[in-house]
Amino acid sequence: MTQEFQNIAVIGLGYVGLPLALQFAASGVKVLGVDIDPAKVDAINAGRTYIKHIAAEAISQAIGAGSFSGSADFARVSECDAVIICVPTPLTKTREPDLSYVLDTTRAIAAHLKPGALVVLESTTYPGTTEEEMRPILEAGSGKIAGADFHLAYSPEREDPGTAGSKIGKVPKIVGGYTPQCLAKAVALYSIAVETVVPLSSCRAAEATKLLENIFRSVNIALVNELKVIYSAMGIDIWEVIEGAKTKPFGFMPFYPGPGLGGHCIPIDPFYLAWKAREFGKHTRFIELAGEINTAMLEYVVQRLTEVLNAQGKPVKGSKILLLGLAYKPNVDDMRESPTFALLDLLKARQAELAYYDPHIPVIGSTREHSQWQGMRSVEWNEATIPASMRSSS
Ligand SMILES: NC(=O)c1ccc[n+]([C@@H]2O[C@H](COP(=O)([O-])OP(=O)(O)OC[C@H]3O[C@@H](n4cnc5c(N)ncnc54)[C@H](O)[C@@H]3O)[C@@H](O)[C@H]2O)c1
């Protein structure tokens, strides 16, 4: 094992940080998991999971082996050779980047950095965050110089929650460093836990790479959503068309239409670039257009639903409507940015009688934006709530 990284800290033990911490722990590194949420820290130390697709056994084994422990004490990063930051990067109410979590964490660790330690940001963000926003805070708070007294790098997560066979260690990991030595350190760190590490020339290039990956998806989903509406008007089934196009063995990649984007990445990350681009006097037209088209799909779904009910002589008001799926994608319990919430809001405004079914989210817990739905329960998947006739035709 590489001797220079015996103890590391992973800060932010959510969908990204927890599996990453476990991957390092399973690779022979002693991992300190740090989170401001005491419930998560307690769960970790008790060997319990709070993310459905992460097994409690993986946590309890690592805890039992002494290779993983949870803490809310940022001062303990002084024990660590590397600190990896995986905290949220949402948008503010006015849809601007909210770096407060990243910067709060940066301030909290700065005074406790071990000499020579490596600090890596994993949170998705705009180019320049690591070097322009974090570096001055780390240098001021530690009295140390980046690239000399401590090292700094950026490495985006490529977590694919809920997809069977998705293994962190197998997915190539992009890394950019503040200096060539920072890069070498970061490559050495990730090589302990990940099979393929891909070095890039700078933190900014690595930050920009992650945004390209997510913008690529947002734009292509918008394209197929637009085609869905157009082909539908022509009486053509988009799903059949996509299946047909998929048989082309080169130059095509399938994307699928839906009621809108969800999750913590695709609806949000492109706007980090849009915001930063304005500083350079540049407009991100593809990003804005994709956002507009993807958001408009909600109204399209409601319009189609209204037409279908109308054809049966029914208004939306008073109709019983069941939404299938609350999580933003299959096989996860993550409901962040799920378009189902917006559909619930739109249909409630039209006085429909609403229910949802999602085996991964039996009850809606607390959310920042959708508190009016807190406590609502998923219906059971049985004859009483979903008659067989509906199931076979769905
Ligand atoms: N979820 C994904 O599939 C995914 C994929 C790739 C990249 N990302 C990016 O990774 C980052 C983290 O996303 P996530 O899905 O893991 O978020 P998450 O909300 O699941 O987890 C973030 C964790 O950070 C903790 N936290 C918040 N502020 C903190 C602070 N100041 N100090 C310590 N801990 C703090 C929270 O309590 C939470 O446990 C985001 O930038 C996101 O865009 C997410």
Side-chain angles (χ1 to χ4, degrees):
M1 198 199 108
T2 317
Q3 289 300 309
E4 62 183 319
F5 298 110
Q6 299 205 350
N7 294 279
I8 70 164
V10 173
I11 303 190
L13 299 170
Y15 285 87
V16 167
L18 181 56
L20 185 74
L22 291 170
Q23 177 69 13
F24 271 104
S27 309
V29 179
K30 218 168 162 187
V31 182
L32 176 70
V34 182
D35 204 291
I36 49 167
D37 181 348
K40 284 185 179 151
V41 172
D42 290 348
I44 298 273
N45 289 330
R48 282 185 278 112
T49 190
Y50 44 86
I51 296 179
K52 201 159 190 167
H53 62 273
I54 296 173
E57 296 78 65
I59 299 173
S60 55
Q61 266 173 22
I63 295 284
S67 53
F68 187 30
S69 61
S71 175
D73 182 3
F74 287 82
R76 288 193 57 199
V77 302
S78 62
E79 301 161 18
C80 298
D81 308 305
V83 184
I84 303 178
I85 300 171
C86 309
V87 297
T89 43
L91 294 173
T92 62
K93 276 198 161 50
T94 50
R95 300 196 69 73
E96 294 190 341
D98 178 1
L99 280 188
S100 61
Y101 300 86
V102 170
L103 301 184
D104 284 352
T105 303
T106 308
R107 279 187 277 272
I109 64 169
H112 307 292
L113 285 185
K114 186 175 171 178
L118 169 68
V119 178
V120 189
L121 177 64
E122 289 228 1
S123 307
T124 309
T125 184
Y126 56 75
T129 305
T130 311
E131 293 182 13
E132 294 162 18
E133 314 283 355
M134 286 178 64
R135 183 175 59 87
I137 295 174
L138 289 170
E139 290 184 337
S142 66
K144 299 184 171 86
I145 302 295
D149 307 324
F150 70 94
H151 299 91
L152 188 58
Y154 179 79
S155 179
E157 183 49 67
R158 284 170 164 169
E159 172 69 359
D160 188 8
T163 301
S166 160
K167 294 264 184 293
I168 288 190
K170 302 263 177 224
V171 178
K173 195 102 172 73
I174 296 285
V175 175
Y178 175 54
T179 65
Q181 211 199 340
C182 294
L183 177 61
K185 285 254 182 199
V187 170
L189 170 67
Y190 284 104
S191 298
I192 299 170
V194 178
E195 276 177 21
T196 311
V197 179
V198 184
L200 296 189
S201 66
S202 63
C203 297
R204 297 159 63 85
E207 289 159 338
T209 302
K210 174 69 184 178
L211 290 180
L212 167 62
E213 291 167 12
N214 285 351
I215 292 163
F216 171 80
R217 289 181 59 201
S218 166
V219 167
N220 279 286
I221 292 168
L223 173 66
V224 87
N225 273 336
E226 185 168 75
L227 291 178
K228 151 85 192 166
V229 174
I230 295 168
Y231 286 169
S232 218
M234 294 175 173
I236 299 166
D237 179 357
I238 186 78
W239 295 91
E240 184 190 352
V241 171
I242 295 168
E243 287 307 306
K246 263 167 71 176
T247 60
K248 184 177 177 187
F250 52 89
F252 182 80
M253 183 182 284
F255 288 85
Y256 301 95
L261 301 176
H264 186 17
C265 296
I266 314 297
I268 291 173
D269 304 342
F271 295 98
Y272 267 68
L273 185 66
W275 180 84
K276 189 68 179 173
R278 287 200 284 277
E279 194 181 306
F280 294 81
K282 299 288 177 202
H283 298 290
T284 49
R285 286 178 290 164
F286 266 110
I287 291 174
E288 303 296 343
L289 182 60
E292 253 173 58
I293 292 175
N294 288 327
T295 308
M297 290 309 285
L298 286 166
E299 289 289 350
Y300 177 75
V301 169
V302 173
Q303 178 205 321
R304 294 283 294 133
L305 183 75
T306 310
E307 287 166 10
V308 168
L309 285 171
N310 193 45
Q312 297 173 30
K314 294 177 184 166
V316 175
K317 183 174 177 176
S319 284
K320 287 185 178 167
I321 299 175
L322 175 68
L323 287 96
L324 295 180
L326 181 64
Y328 78 94
K329 67 183 249 182
N331 302 323
V332 298
D333 59 353
D334 187 351
M335 55 188 178
R336 288 175 295 179
E337 305 290 325
S338 170
T340 302
F341 279 117
L343 284 175
L344 285 169
D345 290 341
L346 288 170
L347 292 170
K348 188 181 176 198
R350 289 160 177 77
Q351 298 177 47
E353 276 186 43
L354 296 164
Y356 81 93
Y357 170 71
D358 192 326
H360 298 284
I361 305 176
V363 59
I364 299 179
S366 87
T367 58
R368 256 178 302 172
E369 291 95 10
H370 311 290
S371 53
Q372 71 274 32
W373 298 108
Q374 187 171 343
M376 187 180 189
R377 291 188 170 276
S378 166
V379 298
E380 299 290 325
W381 185 261
N382 61 28
E383 187 59 29
T385 51
I386 308 164
S389 57
M390 260 175 82
R391 277 181 259 169
S392 55
S393 64
S394 64

